[in-house]
Amino acid sequence: MNKVAIVGAGITECRGRWVEATYWELFQQATRRTLEDAKMTADEVDSVVYGIYNDIFEHQAIPESTLTGLIGMANKPGVRITTGGATGLYAMRAAIQEVAAGMADCVLCIGGEKATDCFDPQSRTATPMVIDTIAKSWDPFFEYPLGATASDSYMQLCMGYDDEYPGDIGDSLVRAKIIEMLCRQGNKNPFGQRRDEKVTAEQVLASRWIIAPFLRLLEACMYTEGAAGVLFASEKKAREISERTGVPPIWVKGVGAANESYSPGRGGNYKPLSRIVSDHLAAERAYAMAGVRPSDIQLVELHDAFVAQLMITMGEMGFVPLGRTRNLVDEGVMADIRELRDDQPPPRGKVLINPSGGLIFGGHFVGGSNMFSMWSARREMVRRQIPLALIHGTGAINAVYGGAIVIELGDDPGKSPTGDGGAQ
Amino acid sequence: MSSERESILSNVWNLPREVSEVAGKDPGTWLQFNTHMVTFYQQTYGELSRFFLALKSCRLIGSHCKKCQQVMVPAATWHCPNCNFAEMEEIELPHRGVLAARAPITIFPSASFIDEAPFCRGYVDVATDAPIASFLPSRLMTTTGLPRPGIFVKGTELKLVFEDQRMGRIRDIFWVPVKELPSHLVDKKPLFASDLNFSSPPMPAIARDPALEGALRKAIEAMRSMAEQIPRSPRAQKDLAGRTHTISVRTAGGELTLIVAGSGLRIEDEPAKSPDFAMATRDPAVFTRWVGDGSLTDAAVEGTLWLPHRAAFAVLPILDRLPRSIRRDVRDRK
Ligand SMILES: [Zn+2]
């Protein structure tokens, strides 16, 4: 497998609704910024991978087809990935594979969503129809007709986890404290959807229930419209671009993914309700490929659909023990952004989790959310000089899709071209 | 629980054909057009037909693999994915099951299920004797009022119930806790929805506790003082406009009645003779907290406030708006 680097990234502003732009414009904006970031033109890109989750949101069955010419990718190969919430992660995996296989020197991975044009005529609001559109991710025979929603599906797992590991995610105060920390981080993201909000733990505890006892209104991710792009390049191309931009290449060290069975059950290959096995397998595979352990990693951008799930995911990925994920707060595993300068890595033993504000405060334009996470991880690595980072995505009913990517900060351009880190 | 011959989409699922202006974050004039993405299907049941035909005849079937002994319920395939797609055989399943994990209660449903909230959905372990088994995605119902935490917990013994009118769809069935059944129905097979009473659940027993009488007086005082401000709050009047409700409330500290009428609220410190419905809670402070910008809905969601049915639940968001509406109007007056 050839070496692969990230050489550029760009995002749009995250908004609850972009009436000023269709998804055409959002994807073009993100493409433009990504290419600008890499000081490249579209001509230099060999192929494109699109992350778009749900056709119903875009209201077109092959939504990427209209984008091809508009984002400067005419007459190049292009493929669209759609894997629920993990769409962005899997799109990046596909882009990495093209470069790793030697089929391309430079691949644009671009994802986004136009999510809140959906409208419910009954309530005269968007939300119930947005929920319905996501609910179409369930099968039409057994699950959708029962009224499945994304929130209750993730909460089903939290309840299964809590049955198995009581006294962990059930502490509202622990979850509220994590929210407070995520909010502070989101305030520092210039593109974040809720960058001007101040949410305290007290406000979280006073906010209304969505699903008791693990999900209050202020513990859930947002619906966002926006787009994000990441450029992946071969080693030679990466060094060339790095010379141009003056930004070190970020090396892809490990990629892991796993999809659990759709059906929950007991034994065999069924999905256990007390675990997010997809997260566990994805992370293990990414670590094995990268030759690292979770204790080597001090920066994580994970897919926090809900805070209780963030806690379980951090447990599944090995940063805290399952059953004691509250150590994130109790033992201060989660780094406090207030104690860090903007150019400072977290102290040993602490992990910076979602400095972007995550999907709860930063943004969650589904098809590109994981690219948004990658954009943030790269930004934080470079400015804080953090050697390793982990990017995570989860999706589909009952969180059965999981993916993880380990990346490594390369040397500043101009230094010896052989030294690309070696942090493991 | 009836199966009226209804259209898939009602007329409320529609919009006028128009293009309208919409405000954004950036200055400028922006447009949106009303449109739709509705597809109708005559969706094939194919290999699943056997499962749904069985439901129509009040049988629950799974597919069973003789090699690995796994049971799949519903019978999602007839070839075992674990055993090189070995042929699976039909197995008749009991009308009893166990809840595999605590089940979430949906309060904010999707547009298609907006009239059904709150409802409970969970996974039922039916083939409990099989070493490997899938769980059946299921509707979970209680005869004791609205679903609330504590009813559908891991390990709850469940009984399968069939709708009286069945079409061949997953909504032909649901499950109720065995312990809610009178003894003569526990082994009835098939058990029908009409065998059970969902419409008039018994109010839970709440023992009088003199220690909470003071809390009740305090709650009534707080509610009355809120009610007195409604005539000066256009927002609160708008919340209540056109509504009439007489709601009995039983607490361990005593009883009271909430009367919504004429865009106002009245609190009586005795039970109503013929209320629209009754609520119950041990702790009268639930209502004091409501006035202090808390939420009756949250109390119902947590299970501290008992409600008989959905119609009762639908009133709570209206009541929850009152403290905030009044506060905003007071602020505007200043
Ligand atoms: Zn088998």
Side-chain angles (χ1 to χ4, degrees), chain B residues 220-272:
Chain B
I220 291 175
E221 230 169 80
M223 285 188 282
R224 281 182 174 157
S225 113
M226 177 177 72
E228 279 167 20
Q229 298 181 64
I230 293 174
R232 278 173 293 142
S233 167
R235 282 190 179 91
Q237 286 169 50
K238 199 172 158 225
D239 293 337
L240 300 176
R243 298 190 158 269
T244 51
H245 305 285
T246 303
I247 308 162
S248 260
V249 181
R250 181 183 294 171
T251 77
E255 300 187 74
L256 66 109
T257 304
L258 304 175
I259 300 162
V260 173
S263 300
L265 173 69
R266 210 167 73 242
I267 317 294
E268 309 267 331
D269 52 7
E270 56 185 14

Side-chain angles (χ1 to χ4, degrees), chain A residues 102-361:
Chain A
M103 289 184 71
D105 272 330
C106 188
V107 179
L108 170 67
C109 184
I110 181 103
E113 215 76 48
K114 192 88 177 96
T116 52
D117 280 349
C118 294
F119 185 74
D120 170 36
Q122 289 181 84
S123 63
R124 311 287 307 167
T125 61
T127 306
M129 200 56 90
V130 174
I131 298 174
D132 210 58
T133 299
I134 298 168
K136 298 288 185 192
S137 309
W138 277 254
D139 76 87
F141 312 110
F142 299 106
E143 294 267 19
Y144 177 82
L146 303 182
T149 69
S151 313
D152 79 16
S153 159
Y154 271 76
M155 286 310 112
Q156 174 67 81
L157 290 187
C158 292
M159 289 178 176
Y161 175 91
D162 188 66
D163 286 340
E164 192 73 29
Y165 306 101
D168 188 19
I169 61 170
D171 189 331
S172 293
L173 186 59
V174 168
R175 300 200 311 271
K177 283 182 175 166
I178 294 176
I179 285 283
E180 199 174 75
M181 293 170 90
L182 291 171
C183 177
R184 281 189 207 113
Q185 294 172 174
N187 289 155
K188 289 172 167 279
N189 181 344
F191 297 87
Q193 189 167 336
R194 298 169 70 187
R195 58 186 182 269
D196 298 327
E197 280 186 43
K198 291 273 177 285
V199 175
T200 63
E202 290 69 36
Q203 287 170 322
V204 176
L205 295 173
S207 70
R208 300 292 182 254
W209 286 114
I210 296 178
I211 293 176
F214 301 115
L215 179 59
R216 291 182 187 272
L217 193 61
L218 290 174
E219 298 183 66
C221 62
M222 294 168 290
Y223 304 115
T224 303
E225 299 193 332
V230 179
L231 273 167
F232 293 94
S234 64
E235 182 172 9
K236 184 163 168 281
K237 186 83 182 169
R239 297 207 188 279
E240 187 192 316
I241 294 168
S242 183
E243 288 289 338
R244 267 187 239 174
T245 59
V247 179
I250 304 286
W251 302 104
V252 175
K253 298 296 284 183
V255 182
N259 297 350
E260 295 178 76
S261 285
Y262 181 85
S263 295
R266 187 163 40 71
N269 289 317
Y270 290 113
K271 190 207 160 46
L273 288 172
S274 58
R275 296 279 307 273
I276 307 180
V277 174
S278 56
D279 283 350
H280 180 76
L281 292 175
E284 288 283 299
R285 287 167 186 170
Y287 299 151
M289 184 172 159
V292 302
R293 288 162 309 178
S295 55
D296 300 325
I297 297 171
Q298 289 195 280
L299 170 59
V300 176
E301 274 286 350
L302 74 87
H303 186 128
D304 52 345
F306 307 98
V307 167
Q309 167 263 317
L310 173 153
M311 295 172 73
I312 300 173
T313 295
M314 285 301 283
E316 293 287 5
M317 299 198 305
F319 289 88
V320 277
L322 286 173
R324 285 296 304 173
T325 65
R326 55 180 299 155
N327 286 2
L328 290 173
V329 171
D330 290 354
E331 308 209 335
V333 174
M334 184 171 176
D336 188 336
I337 197 86
R338 289 174 302 183
E339 293 167 5
L340 301 179
R341 292 189 317 268
D342 285 347
D343 61 353
Q344 197 178 17
R348 192 109 202 105
K350 287 185 186 284
V351 187
L352 196 52
I353 303 169
N354 290 2
S356 63
L359 279 49
I360 297 174
F361 287 94

Side-chain angles (χ1 to χ4, degrees), chain B residues 64-70 80-84 86 88:
Chain B
H64 170 239
C65 173
K66 275 200 236 173
K67 284 193 174 166
C68 69
Q69 300 301 326
Q70 79 148 313
C80 181
N82 294 347
C83 300
N84 203 20
M88 297 173 88

Side-chain angles (χ1 to χ4, degrees), chain A residues 13 20 152 162 209 270, chain B residues 25 70 102 106 125 133 302:
Chain A
E13 188 187 337
E20 301 85 347
D152 79 16
D162 188 66
W209 286 114
Y270 290 113
Chain B
K25 193 172 172 183
Q70 79 148 313
R102 193 183 336 167
T106 302
D125 192 353
E302 283 165 358

